[in-house]
Amino acid sequence: MTIEFSCSHCNKVLKTSDDKAGRRAKCPQCGEPIDVPLPGGVVSDDGFDGFDEPASETPVSEEQSFLADSAVREEDSFLTQGDTDCPMCGASVPAGAAKCEACGETLKASRGSGKGQWEPRIFSIGDAFSRGWEVYKANLGMAIAVPLLAGVIYFIGSFVIGMISGLLAVALVPAGGRGMGPDIPLPILLVQNIFIYLILFYLQMGGQLTFLKIVRGENPEFSTLFSGGPFVIRMFVCSIIYFIFIFLGFIALIIPGIILLLMFWPYSFILVDRNLPGIESISESRKVMSGNKLNLFGLSLALFGITLLGGLLTLGFGLIFIIPFTYMVQTAAYAEMTSQ
């Protein structure tokens, strides 16, 4: 007899023999500990408690988990039959549907971390705006507070680093070699800029992860803003490569520069979303942007117009609300591109 069920974390449909009922193991897709259900809902204690460690470890391969034996496709499973309720409007929709027909909500966004559903596809500008607006309204406090706090921390950090650089310049450069202010030596200036960018990338990664979790319906903690540390060095390297591509593109002609800018645009989202090693997020960007460059260009123009017009009409004060909204729409666009 075979037991068929879905992972409570990533929704991967699993199938295993009934002799595994009540046992505990890691899901072969997301690495989270899960229990094979029993008819009575009881889980036996058979020494698998070790799997209760945090799931930050590398997920086990399908060959190492008995749950991977003859796993069925989700669309072929009885678990996807019937109807479910849209989390946005409450309308009844077929289980497994990608979108709600009533309000257009992307239903895959509520499925765990999204890593199990990650698949490039062509997005629409309307869907990005609609989804971004709905999520923005529902999470207004977090959406405004996160970039505002990040901006304050970045300003303070940059100011402190600049002050330290100035003091070092005063101490190292003879008084006769200075003008009205400290002449900062090139090595100190280089180190100063590196530290400023590290602060920027640290906050950017934490902010993007926070917004991505919000768009996927994961209700992140405010502390997620300070979780960008593991991505900083890779982001620094990838940003240099991205800048070189764009610089060479604009030197050749403006159009190639714009194309390259759009082609590799989602690399920072991919890095924080997929936690890829090295510079793989750069190469993955091309797959995500295949067929999406023109739509992203249109979306960028629309967001630029909204920011410019809104800033002028509100004398700049409205940017506190407008900038987080544009971030949310961009995040929603990325989520739409990757079927999350």
Side-chain angles (χ1 to χ4, degrees), residues 247-313:
F247 179 73
L248 294 177
F250 276 99
I251 285 181
L253 285 172
I254 294 179
I255 299 301
I258 295 176
I259 293 175
L260 289 172
L261 188 150
L262 296 171
M263 181 183 298
F264 298 109
W265 170 80
Y267 77 94
S268 59
F269 279 108
I270 296 174
L271 175 58
V272 75
D273 181 21
R274 308 298 295 174
N275 194 18
L276 297 178
I279 60 172
E280 286 188 24
S281 60
I282 294 287
S283 59
E284 286 295 313
S285 298
R286 297 183 60 186
K287 301 177 185 178
V288 174
M289 291 307 300
S290 178
N292 280 317
K293 288 185 283 294
L294 187 59
N295 284 345
L296 180 63
F297 183 69
L299 179 68
S300 301
L301 289 179
L303 292 177
F304 175 77
I306 291 173
T307 304
L308 180 62
L309 183 60
L312 291 175
L313 292 177

Side-chain angles (χ1 to χ4, degrees), residues 129-199:
F129 266 106
S130 175
R131 182 173 176 182
W133 173 245
E134 293 298 328
V135 176
Y136 175 72
K137 289 192 301 181
N139 301 272
L140 185 61
M142 178 79 78
I144 293 175
V146 167
L148 187 61
L149 178 60
V152 171
I153 295 174
Y154 174 72
F155 174 80
I156 295 175
S158 300
F159 178 79
V160 171
I161 292 174
M163 289 291 295
I164 294 174
S165 298
L167 293 175
L168 287 175
V170 170
L172 296 177
V173 179
R178 297 196 299 265
M180 296 299 294
D183 184 13
I184 301 179
L186 182 59
I188 295 179
L189 187 61
L190 179 61
V191 173
Q192 168 189 309
N193 289 333
I194 289 176
F195 274 100
I196 289 177
Y197 273 106
L198 290 178
I199 294 175

Side-chain angles (χ1 to χ4, degrees), residues 56-94:
S56 59
E57 303 171 359
T58 303
V60 294
S61 64
E62 294 206 1
E63 292 77 14
Q64 293 175 321
S65 174
F66 67 79
L67 294 174
D69 296 336
S70 303
V72 297
R73 297 186 305 164
E74 189 170 358
E75 57 267 29
D76 295 334
S77 170
F78 68 84
L79 295 174
T80 62
Q81 302 303 314
D83 293 337
T84 186
D85 292 333
C86 171
M88 186 61 66
C89 69
S92 178
V93 294

